[in-house]
Amino acid sequence: MTPHTFLQGLRAGIPIAIGYVPIAIAFGLLAKSVGVPDQITILLSLFVFAGASQFMAVQMATSGVFVSEIIFTTFILNLRHFLMTASLGQRLEPTSTPWRFLLAYGVTDETFSVASLQKSHVLGKSYILGLNLLAYSFWNIGTWVGLFLSSSIPSSIQQSMGIALYAMFIGLLMPSIRGSSKVLLVVVAAVIVQVLLSSMGWLSNGWRIIIATICGAAVGALLFREEESPHE
Amino acid sequence: MNSNLYLMVIGMCLVTYIPRLLPLLFMQQIKLPAFLERFLRFIPFAALGSLVFPQVFFSAGVENWFPATIATIVCMVLAWFRINVVIVVLAGIAVTFFVTKAPLPW
């Protein structure tokens, strides 16, 4: 079954929405508590749409850090999306340039992962739009809720929800690992690199993800030369 | 401070959007070398691996690494059996919550 309809995209976005809402609420609450003006917080979710860098920005903005430094850190943190859209672009159905401008706007770790781990090789533009739009909407709704919530969510519940997006990534990844020893090897290679870099402790997580992703994918590309797709 | 913050939003928007956009614009009609094509096909799996580990163990706060680890294992087992992703997500949240709350010596 080729995922191609807008509705299928919306449905595939549900686990992302569940994961985004508590994080976006936490973002709104944090921004408010450190004194970032509400309109800036709202604009960040509307125009940046990248969780980790938004948290970083509101924390740094109120501690007297140069704006140029915040922008540079954001660039490093989100550079991995370059690799992701490059990969996604190979599987997108033939699409006009305006559509590509639109679809690129909604590429996050989460939307990329859900779209990429679809069984079919070719991905429909309406499907990706539906997926991105649901994720984007809930990220923004959550931000507003966080801003206008009078009291904080109990911290134990909020803490427990921090695992939501990781759980989604695991939910997407395990069936692929089970179906392919090549995928397993690529994942293990990437995780080993990531853990090694983490234990050294002198690279930011943005760089670590980029390097580990490149290493893992390169191991797969070097070892498995035959022309079959890992998606089968 | 306010005009600086607007500048920050614009700058962050550009440096986030441009890397998301460029590959989609310029890699559409090009026939890539076979190696690069295989490399790009493996990107999702490598990216997922490096997004999850080891960060997932600290996702409920560094001090709650134990509940998060139990939840990770539960999620991996459920996902292995191809349980719906929504259920895996909800199970992850629930297990983290209840193991954190459980009156046991960790």
Side-chain angles (χ1 to χ4, degrees):
Chain A
M1 186 188 70
T2 311
H4 54 298
T5 70
F6 184 72
L7 211 63
Q8 283 170 316
L10 288 181
R11 195 178 307 153
I14 292 170
I16 304 182
I18 296 173
Y20 273 7
V21 167
I23 299 175
I25 291 176
F27 170 68
L29 286 169
L30 173 77
K32 188 128 198 150
S33 71
V34 297
V36 170
D38 287 355
Q39 72 271 23
I40 294 293
T41 308
I42 290 165
L43 289 174
L44 279 170
S45 283
L46 279 173
F47 289 113
V48 183
F49 188 36
S53 55
Q54 290 181 219
F55 274 93
M56 177 276 297
V58 294
Q59 266 158 341
M60 284 169 93
T62 48
S63 57
V65 177
F66 285 116
V67 164
S68 54
E69 198 181 322
I70 296 175
I71 294 171
F72 182 72
T73 310
T74 303
F75 174 68
I76 301 303
L77 210 53
N78 294 335
L79 191 58
R80 61 177 181 274
H81 296 143
F82 182 87
L83 291 170
M84 296 180 183
T85 21
S87 175
L88 203 61
Q90 298 298 302
R91 294 171 58 190
L92 181 62
E93 67 176 328
T95 307
S96 66
T97 303
W99 265 95
R100 287 168 186 266
F101 273 92
L102 185 64
L103 296 181
Y105 196 81
V107 176
T108 63
D109 295 339
E110 293 76 23
T111 56
F112 163 77
S113 302
V114 169
S116 290
L117 271 71
Q118 286 296 334
K119 288 277 184 297
S120 76
H121 186 71
V122 178
L123 299 169
K125 57 178 191 273
S126 308
Y127 167 82
I128 296 181
L129 183 67
L131 176 67
N132 290 2
L133 194 65
L134 195 86
Y136 184 73
S137 306
F138 277 85
W139 180 250
N140 280 281
I141 292 168
T143 305
W144 283 72
V145 172
L147 277 179
F148 299 113
L149 215 60
S150 51
S151 62
S152 178
I153 303 168
S155 70
S156 58
I157 295 179
Q158 210 174 317
Q159 268 188 337
S160 307
M161 292 186 110
I163 204 167
L165 292 174
Y166 294 106
M168 183 189 78
F169 290 143
I170 292 169
L172 292 169
L173 192 52
M174 292 306 285
S176 304
I177 288 180
R178 184 178 166 172
S180 160
S181 55
K182 295 174 186 175
V183 169
L184 175 65
L185 193 82
V186 167
V187 172
V188 168
V191 171
I192 288 173
V193 173
Q194 165 69 297
V195 170
L196 283 177
L197 293 175
S198 304
S199 64
M200 283 189 250
W202 42 264
L203 278 173
S204 69
N205 198 35
W207 279 116
R208 291 202 302 264
I209 293 170
I210 292 169
I211 295 169
T213 302
I214 291 176
C215 291
V219 165
L222 284 170
L223 289 182
F224 307 119
R225 296 188 166 278
E226 64 273 45
E227 276 303 301
E228 48 186 300
S229 153
H231 298 289
E232 280 140 23
Chain B
M1 168 170 147
N2 248 334
S3 66
N4 251 347
L5 289 180
Y6 284 107
L7 206 68
M8 177 187 84
V9 173
I10 295 167
M12 287 176 68
C13 176
L14 291 177
V15 299
T16 303
Y17 184 45
I18 291 171
R20 283 172 175 169
L21 178 64
L22 289 183
L24 270 194
L25 283 188
F26 296 113
M27 290 173 67
Q28 39 180 325
Q29 306 303 346
I30 309 168
K31 179 85 188 103
L32 294 173
F35 176 82
L36 201 56
E37 212 171 281
R38 289 200 304 274
F39 174 77
L40 290 174
R41 266 195 235 150
F42 282 115
I43 287 281
F45 309 110
L48 278 173
S50 53
L51 283 168
V52 174
F53 299 101
Q55 299 90 303
V56 62
F57 301 121
F58 312 112
S59 62
V62 178
E63 72 283 2
N64 287 327
W65 62 271
F66 185 77
T69 304
I70 299 294
T72 303
I73 294 167
V74 170
C75 290
M76 289 175 81
V77 171
L78 290 176
W80 180 265
F81 292 107
R82 301 197 170 88
I83 304 290
N84 184 292
V85 177
V86 175
I87 295 169
V88 176
V89 169
L90 296 177
I93 296 170
V95 171
T96 309
F97 182 76
F98 287 115
V99 178
T100 309
K101 288 282 166 191
L104 291 166
W106 45 68

